Amino acid sequence: MSTLFFTVPTFADSFTDAIQDLAYRTACIGKYNMKEAGYTGAAKNYYTEELIDSRLAKESGNMTRTSTFFGVCFDYAQFAFIDIQQYKSRYNKHGMYESQFWLAVVHDNPNQIELMSIGTKNDYSRVQNGVYIKTYDTSLRNVKTHNGATNHAWLWIERADGVWFWIDPTWTDTEGYVFYGYVKNGQEIQCKPDKKYCKIYPSYLNNLPSPPPMGSRIAPSKTANSTNRQETINDAGTDWLGKIIEKTFNDVDYSYMSHDWVAFMISADVPFNSLTEKDVDLNKLGLALEFPILMDSGIGTGIVGFEYLHNLECKNNIHAFLVELDFARRLFSNIAWFLGGGIGLRFDFASEGWVQEDWKTSWIGLKANTGFIVNFSSLFTKIEVSYNNVYGFSVGVGIGLGIQNR
């Protein structure tokens, strides 16, 4: 059995023609089951097997039947994924970049897409819709879904010029025209489909953009010949800017940051000049209690904390109480870079005492900091440089621990 492609592209380029054909063929093979999705009634099923019966007869070879499915969006996406997987070399000839094709799934956050692949019973992360699914440390993409979709599944495929495309076979079947597009500036953009793949053609489709024309092919990646999908997904960006960000600052993935762990860190800051002196000057000091957390937005690991700063050498003793927030991104497997700061209340007191007429209040305490976190299992430490408006430029160190709470 073999999948047939149109050899002469009639729309944009051979690649966009091939992926529209894939959405079209998948829609013909499948039928949406509203009951499986938890709804009443029957879904519109614009695409049926009869539309491609002659094609299916040729593809069936010596068999006289074609296997179809009656399911939900995940089943449509799985069918299309397996087709690419089975005929990968053919899709590569039509302009697919290496092995860059993924199941794209969104849960209840339309601003975050999870890329995954079909696993096996010996290699999987979870079972979804009765299928072994493989997810990865870098599966999440902060990209807005097409039409704000939630709880849905479709496909992402990269073209050889580095542009990422998506196809939605389910909505193709239920809407009557190919639902597809490309990814740009952190969102999925819907494109005008080729009329030959459409059962109906609403007028609004004419207002949709055409897909970007095929550009120069990008160079092979380091994982071009790898069969390890964990390595392959590291080259799966969103666009050229997204790739730079993903390759430079990957999400931190510390095990103690799951809901089964409570993490805390104690840190101290001292002025820069303490590095050149034999004794640390405790008259200028900052102490903080911080809590590493996993941000729901998928930005990466965050650190929230509370810090007290004082400068007792100033003419007016200065005290500040800050709330801190840092964002971290992984550079290496156990090293992360972080950037953030704090804001709070600052009070300047005269040395003679806390007499109200002696107060000099600037009210706002500020701090900006950056540095590195190094972790070993549930133990971790941080080194930072910072500036605050209590005693100026400073350096700090911290040590933390993740404690399993079950």
Side-chain angles (χ1 to χ4, degrees):
M1 184 179 73
S2 63
T3 300
L4 302 181
F5 290 119
F6 292 91
T7 57
V8 179
T10 59
F11 193 83
D13 57 64
S14 181
F15 174 82
T16 52
D17 197 67
I19 63 172
Q20 286 187 86
D21 181 72
L22 176 60
Y24 172 83
R25 180 177 183 273
T26 303
C28 289
I29 294 295
K31 185 176 182 179
Y32 197 81
N33 187 344
M34 293 285 281
K35 301 301 186 296
E36 286 284 4
Y39 301 108
T40 58
K44 293 181 179 179
N45 184 42
Y46 284 96
Y47 294 84
T48 63
E49 301 89 336
E50 287 78 12
L51 291 174
I52 55 172
D53 51 7
S54 296
R55 174 176 174 177
L56 294 177
K58 292 179 181 179
E59 293 178 358
S60 65
N62 294 329
M63 297 180 65
T64 56
R65 70 176 182 272
T66 298
S67 297
T68 61
F69 63 88
F70 185 38
V72 296
C73 59
F74 186 87
D75 301 294
Y76 284 83
Q78 180 190 5
F79 182 91
F81 180 94
I82 292 175
D83 192 85
I84 298 178
Q85 190 176 55
Q86 186 172 0
Y87 305 109
K88 176 177 170 291
S89 61
R90 192 170 295 172
Y91 281 95
N92 287 142
K93 291 179 181 178
H94 282 270
M96 183 178 75
Y97 184 62
E98 298 177 353
S99 297
Q100 294 298 353
F101 61 99
W102 304 90
L103 290 173
V105 173
V106 63
H107 301 288
D108 57 0
N109 181 1
N111 297 311
Q112 187 177 85
I113 296 170
E114 185 176 23
L115 302 184
M116 55 184 68
S117 60
I118 304 296
T120 67
K121 64 179 181 180
N122 297 319
D123 183 21
Y124 69 97
S125 304
R126 65 172 183 257
V127 176
Q128 184 167 333
N129 292 59
V131 178
Y132 295 111
I133 293 298
K134 184 71 175 176
T135 59
Y136 309 90
D137 294 339
T138 52
S139 283
L140 298 180
R141 297 293 180 271
N142 295 313
V143 174
K144 294 180 180 179
T145 62
H146 55 286
N147 287 29
T150 56
N151 301 308
H152 192 48
W154 63 102
L155 256 67
W156 269 30
I157 314 165
E158 186 177 12
R159 195 170 62 181
D161 61 350
V163 178
W164 279 90
F165 282 80
W166 56 270
I167 60 169
D168 190 333
T170 310
W171 287 10
T172 296
D173 199 11
T174 58
E175 297 299 321
Y177 50 87
V178 171
F179 241 93
Y180 91 115
Y182 66 106
V183 182
K184 183 180 181 181
N185 297 331
Q187 61 180 332
E188 291 188 328
I189 299 172
Q190 186 181 354
C191 287
K192 179 169 60 179
D194 191 330
K195 288 184 178 180
K196 75 180 182 183
Y197 294 121
C198 301
K199 282 290 292 178
I200 63 174
Y201 198 86
S203 59
Y204 93 90
L205 294 179
N206 290 318
N207 298 323
L208 295 177
S210 296
M214 178 73 168
S216 300
R217 290 177 175 265
I218 59 177
S221 69
K222 293 181 179 180
T223 60
N225 299 314
S226 176
T227 57
N228 185 341
R229 296 291 273 178
Q230 175 65 72
E231 294 179 351
T232 305
I233 200 170
N234 294 331
D235 290 319
T238 55
D239 49 32
W240 68 270
L241 179 59
K243 283 190 175 183
I244 292 175
I245 293 173
E246 290 293 337
K247 287 177 179 295
T248 306
F249 304 123
N250 292 317
D251 289 349
V252 182
D253 183 31
Y254 296 146
S255 61
Y256 57 78
M257 291 178 186
S258 71
H259 66 278
D260 295 325
W261 292 79
V262 175
F264 68 93
M265 179 163 54
I266 298 173
S267 62
D269 281 30
V270 295
F272 271 155
N273 56 17
S274 296
L275 296 176
T276 60
E277 298 177 359
K278 294 182 179 180
D279 297 322
V280 176
D281 185 0
L282 297 181
N283 288 320
K284 296 180 179 180
L285 183 67
L287 295 172
L289 177 62
E290 297 167 312
F291 302 92
I293 61 173
L294 184 64
M295 305 298 288
D296 289 337
S297 63
I299 292 173
T301 298
I303 302 174
V304 294
F306 306 93
E307 184 164 14
Y308 163 72
L309 303 168
H310 70 224
N311 183 350
L312 304 182
E313 292 184 356
C314 187
K315 180 179 179 180
N316 297 317
N317 296 338
I318 304 176
H319 302 263
F321 302 88
L322 309 181
V323 176
E324 290 189 353
L325 177 61
D326 299 318
F327 296 102
R329 303 296 264 181
R330 187 175 62 203
L331 299 179
F332 303 101
S333 60
N334 63 337
I335 300 176
W337 165 78
F338 67 88
L339 176 69
I343 187 170
L345 296 177
R346 167 183 150 168
F347 302 94
D348 299 9
F349 296 108
S351 59
E352 289 78 9
W354 291 7
V355 183
Q356 185 168 355
E357 57 266 24
D358 294 329
W359 283 20
K360 291 185 178 180
T361 59
S362 63
W363 292 111
I364 299 178
L366 296 172
K367 177 182 178 181
N369 60 273
T370 187
F372 299 94
I373 299 174
V374 181
N375 93 292
F376 300 95
S377 186
S378 61
L379 297 173
F380 56 97
T381 184
K382 78 168 187 176
I383 302 172
E384 73 170 28
V385 294
S386 62
Y387 174 82
N388 63 70
N389 63 350
V390 175
Y391 49 80
F393 290 99
S394 62
V395 295
V397 295
I399 186 168
L401 177 68
I403 301 176
Q404 199 166 18
N405 62 18
R406 67 176 183 179

